[in-house]
Amino acid sequence: MCSTRSLIRVCAWVDGLTMPWKDVIKQLLKRKLAMACLVAIVFCLFMAVTARLWVPDSDLTPNAGLDSVENLRDRRISAAASKLKKENEKLSDDEARAQAATEIDAEFKDNEPTVTGLERHYHPPGWFLAFDAGHPHWEKTGNDEAGTKNPPMPMDQRSWGVTDARFWRFPMGCDIDGVSVLAKIIRGLELAFIIGIVPTLISAFIATIMGLAAGYFGKWIDDIIGFFMSVLASIPLLLLLIAFIQAVKDSERISRWFESVGVGDDKKPIRLLILVLVVIGITTWVGLCRLIRAEVIKHKSREYVQAARALGCGEMRIIFKHILPNVFHIVIISFTLAFVGSVGLEVYLSYVGIGIDATLPTWGQVIKASTTELQRDPSVWWPLASATGALFVVSLSFSLFGDALRDALDPKLRT
Amino acid sequence: MFTYILRKLMYMPFILLGVVALTFMLFTVSTKPEALATIQLGEKASARSKYEWLATKGYVEFTERGREKLSKMEKQQIPARGTMLFNASILADLASERDYLKSEIDALAGEDPEDKDVKARLARLDLRRHKNEVESKAAIANARQTCLLEKAGQANLDAVAKVDDLGARKAAAQEALDKAKAAGGDTADLEKAARDAAADHEAALKEYEAALALVSRVKSESEKITKVEDIEPDLDYTNIFRQFVNYTADLLRLDFGDTRQGRAVTEVLWSGAGPSLALLLPAFLLSELIALFFGLLAAMYRKSSMDHTIVISSIVLMSLNGIAIIIAGQKFLASDWNYFPISGYSTGFGATRYLILPALLYVLLSFGEHVRFNRIIMLDEVGQDYVRTARSKGLNENQVLFKHVLRNSLIPLITRWAVAIPTLYTGSLILESFFGIPGLGYLTVDAIANSDGNVIRAIVVIGAVSFMLANLLSDVLYAVVDPRVRLG
């Protein structure tokens, strides 16, 4: 590193750095709104990474903790035992239970107790019920042992006191299956981050490579890449995604590759999700590529590039070490916007029914399920409200932070 | 400018070809030509008619043997109903799947059989292998039968079957004769009948022997077909380039095929365009006017509380998810408070009441982004020198804004409007499907749900073409509206 040549090279590099990162960060820190958004984003990221700690898989099964087949069996056995005791006075408690148990087990062996036999009620958020003691949501769904509809919950069992554990059990209510909406939202946050980051990374990678190549080399490489960009940009994004996903969904080769990597047939939702994310990444790189290409063309004829070339730097070195750092701010800005776009796209795809399996607890699936839930009487509005609220918070913080970043990085666009 | 337009128009066919190639690749990967034929001809069409249609379309080509088989089927020498037509690619797939499954199962044989994962995988592979076996066996049996029919001929097979029948008749006639003799009646007729029956039986036996020899020879030949690879195919998929050329030729003739219900896609698209435009044209105009108005307001009262409110509300509306807004709007405004009908459509002017709510929601959905964009552009203009000049000349604020700023900020806006036109045509998928408006968007969602490939393909191609034309239009408009810009 002591030779004159390498020193001059480093000077040329430093001279070409038009992006003063220290100033950028200082400017960002000054804006309070941007810092608040950054805190929100970091918090969401933390929750997403640790989501499995807060919400283990068991919390997402239907009727998690509310009612289960064992409880139903116990109730039936007690009822049958008391009936047996009434008929035959001499039976002791244990004998009656044992007899009842054999009867009920025999009955369950032939036909599984269906979900309608399980007792459950879709619980609105606890704080909401505190204001409404007579709310129809205290109706219990399902049928009791005799097969008649369950009576509404007795007054003394209704809990809305802040000191009651059941009040805090469902801070955002629970949905039709008895799964706490908060649990779904937290797991959905984890999935939302995956859905936001993976396609954006893929598309940023493709876009930078294509943009750098098209901008720097020009001529026929530019024409070819421009052709691909036009073809991809001409097709409406949603139709392209749908066509792509339909094409690769049942492909034999891709299934075989998945099996070899270890995501077998039983993990079908994850397979589909990975496919969808990759497809979104492959199809949305065009906008960023155009921006990068324009910027690279501007930088190509600057003096520092000429100086580097005069010093004997190879083409690859010039592109990746000199031009790329000066173009990178565009990638960062578009990252935040593309994150939001990707998450919104997932909601859209879930609604149309393509690509996201219904068993994944993403926010899009919650919103999709809420269309039927809203039609109920009384209407179940809290899953929709929670999912929209969570989506709103994430979108807002990323948008505002992206705006602040753009202001800090690109003074010309300041408003 | 005309040379620019001409040049762009010359590039267009290449890009269009690229779009068509992309859609072609995506659709050939997901649908087999047989599925296309099923969509076109209906579920109940026979395999033969499907393959004949595919041959006319250029997807499939019959081999020598296949054409022989077809002509024999037409001349009724082979029963048309029970005979399969064998596709070389499908046979090859069956064989390769069988080999792959065998190798996978063998690979798993070395692993621990009690392991849950291994057991599950083995079960799945076994299921697939069973299915493959069943299909292969059916194909082989049919191939043997066809070989028998073709080489031995139906007549010979009938002869083999006939001889028992004649034998029974001879025995019956003989019995009748004996009974009559025992009863002592007139036996002349019965004797003649018995002699005729015996003669028939002799002749039949001779035929039978010849036929039997032929059949057993052919049967031993047909027994040689033990594996799927031994079956001679009757047809094969054509070269993919030929398929592509035929596909493009169809598209150029605007022949998009039929939907699953049997209607022509062109007709369906044409009938869907009306409701789409009826909804989106007014909604687009309204939303653009409102966005223009608010952008101008924000630029007018820069840094005041009105500006801040507009900015905040536009950011908030941008962050709220569109689908949630539509669901909430439909529930509260239509379902609960009954200001508007929930969904539906009617033709003619009666449709207006069904379109108000979707139009309002469209305005709400596009408000955030458009207002933000407009505000940025107008603020850009307001900071320019000519505005300062106008103010210093003594023009009042209104004149400055409406006469100077608005006109100059219309330049990028017009280009954006030109590019938005294709989206009007393709319809807003979500709005239409939520409100049951039978436009192109609803059609697309329907087609996706039914896996109706022809409709999706048509909409993609039309969307691409209109997008390219709209881009060209926006470039030209930009040059027309802004005299500083020189095209090309």
Side-chain angles (χ1 to χ4, degrees), chain A residues 116-171:
Chain A
T116 51
L118 296 178
E119 188 185 288
R120 62 203 166 112
H121 44 283
Y122 40 95
H123 205 283
W127 48 266
F128 180 74
L129 285 176
F131 299 110
D132 193 356
H135 204 269
H137 278 291
W138 293 114
E139 306 276 332
K140 290 196 269 190
T141 57
N143 298 329
D144 64 0
E145 302 89 14
T148 55
K149 192 161 164 14
N150 273 315
M153 216 167 197
M155 249 327 178
D156 51 354
Q157 282 188 24
R158 300 186 194 188
S159 66
W160 53 78
V162 182
T163 49
D164 198 313
R166 294 175 60 176
F167 178 87
W168 292 106
R169 194 195 169 84
F170 297 123

Side-chain angles (χ1 to χ4, degrees), chain B residues 356-386:
Chain B
I356 303 181
L357 184 56
L360 278 178
L361 286 176
Y362 182 87
V363 170
L364 215 59
L365 286 174
S366 53
F367 182 86
E369 239 180 276
H370 292 183
V371 165
R372 200 152 163 257
F373 184 75
N374 292 358
R375 180 179 161 274
I376 290 176
I377 290 183
M378 290 186 188
L379 280 180
D380 235 356
E381 296 297 321
V382 163
Q384 300 267 13
D385 290 336
Y386 68 88

Side-chain angles (χ1 to χ4, degrees), chain B residues 424-444:
Chain B
L424 294 188
Y425 178 73
T426 51
S428 167
L429 281 85
I430 305 190
L431 268 180
E432 290 186 9
S433 64
F434 260 106
F435 289 99
I437 298 172
L440 287 177
Y442 185 77
L443 206 68
T444 320

Side-chain angles (χ1 to χ4, degrees), chain A residues 227 230 233-235 239 242 246-247 252 256 259 265 347-348 351 354 371 374 379 388 391-392 396 400 403, chain B residues 14-15 26 29-30 100 121 124 128 315-316 319 321 324 327 331 372 429-430 433 444 448 459 464 467:
Chain A
F227 170 74
S230 304
S234 306
I235 308 182
L239 294 176
I242 290 162
Q246 294 276 43
E252 184 62 43
R256 288 186 195 177
E259 290 231 10
D265 231 3
V347 174
Y348 191 92
Y351 172 72
I354 292 278
T371 46
L374 276 180
S379 70
T388 313
L391 199 51
F392 175 71
L396 192 65
L400 289 176
D403 266 357
Chain B
F14 291 106
I15 301 182
L26 291 176
V29 170
S30 62
Y100 167 74
R121 268 198 80 193
R124 287 195 301 264
R128 281 169 67 183
I315 292 186
V316 161
S319 307
N321 194 277
I327 295 179
K331 173 169 165 50
R372 200 152 163 257
L429 281 85
I430 305 190
S433 64
T444 320
I448 295 167
I459 292 192
F467 186 79

